[in-house]
Amino acid sequence: MNTLAGSFALLKNPAIMSFMLKGVLFTVVLAVVAVSASLGVASVLALVRNYCTKPAERLLRWAATAYIELFRNTPLLFWIFIGTVFFPAPHLGRLFGLSSVETKLLFKCTIALTIFESAIIAEIIRGGLNAISKGQFEAGYAQGFNMVQVMCGTSSCPRLSGRSFPP
């Protein structure tokens, strides 16, 4: 029997397949929860970094910039290590068929991945906001929209009463 056939023969063992599927479930749950949480945090960070320009808001902008630069420019493995060693985890019991220790590890890794991903996603969102031409904002202001209405567009602001942006 060659090495490749011997390796695939291990997959016929139900205990090994169960262990591997548990790892896949752990990874999928971790990814879905971390990306979902990161999108909300990243949106706020990107908006603060882009649009807090008044003197009273500069501290918020500085804090968002420091957060983004710190977490974006350090390795993910570092934050996973810091998270698993130093972050406290609540007692959540058994979730998704995982033991309580694995659930705590899932929580800690989710927090570590969220703080890292939110910094990267914030820069992606900020790049998208910066790609919008100044004329699009001026068109919205010319139609009487405020900053919030211009940022969310016609589909998500119910107060726009059917008005839309020019192309």
Side-chain angles (χ1 to χ4, degrees), residues 84-98:
T84 54
V85 173
F86 295 110
F87 289 171
H91 179 69
L92 300 171
R94 296 177 60 96
L95 295 174
F96 308 112
L98 302 172

Side-chain angles (χ1 to χ4, degrees), residues 9-63:
L10 289 175
L11 297 178
K12 293 179 182 176
N13 186 343
I16 292 175
M17 279 305 291
S18 172
F19 181 75
M20 289 179 68
L21 289 175
K22 194 174 185 181
V24 169
L25 176 68
F26 187 88
T27 304
V28 168
V29 169
L30 176 66
V32 167
V33 172
V35 169
S36 300
S38 296
L39 283 173
V41 174
S43 298
V44 171
L45 286 170
L47 290 171
V48 166
R49 187 165 181 190
N50 241 17
Y51 298 112
C52 287
T53 57
K54 296 178 184 173
E57 300 167 340
R58 285 198 182 135
L59 184 62
L60 283 174
R61 183 177 186 164
W62 180 85

Side-chain angles (χ1 to χ4, degrees), residues 45-125:
L45 286 170
L47 290 171
V48 166
R49 187 165 181 190
N50 241 17
Y51 298 112
C52 287
T53 57
K54 296 178 184 173
E57 300 167 340
R58 285 198 182 135
L59 184 62
L60 283 174
R61 183 177 186 164
W62 180 85
T65 302
Y67 178 91
I68 290 169
E69 294 303 323
L70 172 70
F71 290 113
R72 197 171 66 114
N73 293 316
T74 51
L76 173 59
L77 191 59
F78 173 75
W79 293 114
I80 291 175
F81 173 75
I82 295 294
T84 54
V85 173
F86 295 110
F87 289 171
H91 179 69
L92 300 171
R94 296 177 60 96
L95 295 174
F96 308 112
L98 302 172
S99 68
S100 61
V101 172
E102 291 167 335
T103 305
K104 287 183 179 184
L105 183 62
L106 177 70
F107 179 80
K108 290 177 176 189
C109 288
T110 302
I111 298 299
L113 199 55
T114 299
I115 63 174
F116 180 79
E117 283 181 356
S118 63
I120 293 171
I121 295 172
E123 282 298 292
I124 294 169
I125 293 171

